[in-house]
Amino acid sequence: LMSALAKASGDDVHLQHALKMALRNSLKNEAAFAKLTTEPMTDAEAQVVAGLALAIKTPAAGSFLIKHLSKVPTNDRARLVEIVKAAASQASANNVGEIVNVARTRFEDDRNLQIELLNSVKQGLAQSGTQIPSVVREWALVLAKPLLKMGEDNKVISWSYSPFRSEEHTSEL
């Protein structure tokens, strides 16, 4: 099916769609998905499988998306966020650490994108009903600490504690 899709004419969108549907249906079988993803793929084939994996929603599809995450173009933020969310919802809790590792290393210099990806992981885990693993919490803390220390003018924000004394405010109640 993959080779037929590669050979299909770009003008024949109906044939392409039918082949993608057939490929999607066959990849719902975990063994077929595992077999396809162990064979070498071109970048174009990997993009097709990633698109189908978004719809398949199996652990194998989630694992593929995690492995594919490092190849998603950085200029396509929406696609990246979508893949991270799907991967987090489909993959096992043990594999979520791989998402965190890729996001932290690949996008080390883009804190805003990391925050977007962190939110996608959170949403994906919520969809699957999975508890947030400690690796995700640690990532959130790493991202939050600098934000809590800095103000808009990049000066340290000072915090203070003032106890509430109920006797001072009783007349206002």
Side-chain angles (χ1 to χ4, degrees):
L1 289 171
M2 189 64 83
S3 65
L5 182 60
K7 293 175 186 173
S9 168
D11 296 335
D12 195 346
V13 293
H14 296 292
L15 176 60
Q16 289 179 0
H17 185 68
L19 288 169
K20 285 180 184 177
M21 286 176 37
L23 187 57
R24 180 203 62 207
N25 292 341
S26 68
L27 291 178
K28 287 181 181 178
N29 177 314
E30 295 274 332
F33 200 104
K35 182 180 178 198
L36 176 71
T37 55
T38 57
E39 297 175 9
M41 272 190 233
T42 66
D43 286 344
E45 290 171 338
Q47 291 290 340
V48 169
V49 174
L52 297 173
L54 291 170
I56 295 172
K57 300 182 181 172
T58 64
S63 294
F64 177 82
L65 289 172
I66 291 171
K67 289 180 179 122
H68 180 69
L69 186 57
S70 62
K71 297 175 184 171
V72 178
T74 56
N75 61 347
D76 194 353
R77 285 174 92 105
R79 176 87 165 160
L80 190 59
V81 167
E82 178 184 29
I83 286 175
V84 166
K85 182 178 175 183
S89 71
Q90 296 169 21
S92 68
N94 298 336
N95 291 345
V96 173
E98 291 180 53
I99 298 171
V100 172
N101 290 335
V102 170
R104 287 182 74 175
T105 55
R106 185 170 180 210
F107 308 109
E108 183 177 15
D109 297 332
D110 193 343
R111 183 174 303 278
N112 291 334
L113 179 56
Q114 282 194 53
I115 291 169
E116 270 187 83
L117 296 177
L118 174 65
N119 286 326
S120 290
V121 168
K122 181 183 164 218
Q123 291 170 0
L125 292 171
Q127 279 182 346
S128 66
T130 304
Q131 291 286 331
I132 297 176
S134 61
V135 69
V136 175
R137 290 175 197 219
E138 291 167 11
W139 183 29
L141 285 172
V142 166
L143 292 172
K145 282 181 182 179
L147 296 174
L148 293 174
K149 291 181 182 175
M150 304 301 282
E152 288 182 23
D153 56 358
N154 288 332
K155 293 183 180 176
V156 175
I157 299 172
S158 61
W159 296 89
S160 63
Y161 167 74
S162 299
F164 176 75
R165 289 188 220 120
S166 61
E167 62 272 1
E168 291 179 8
H169 301 286
T170 54
S171 62
E172 295 175 11
L173 298 175

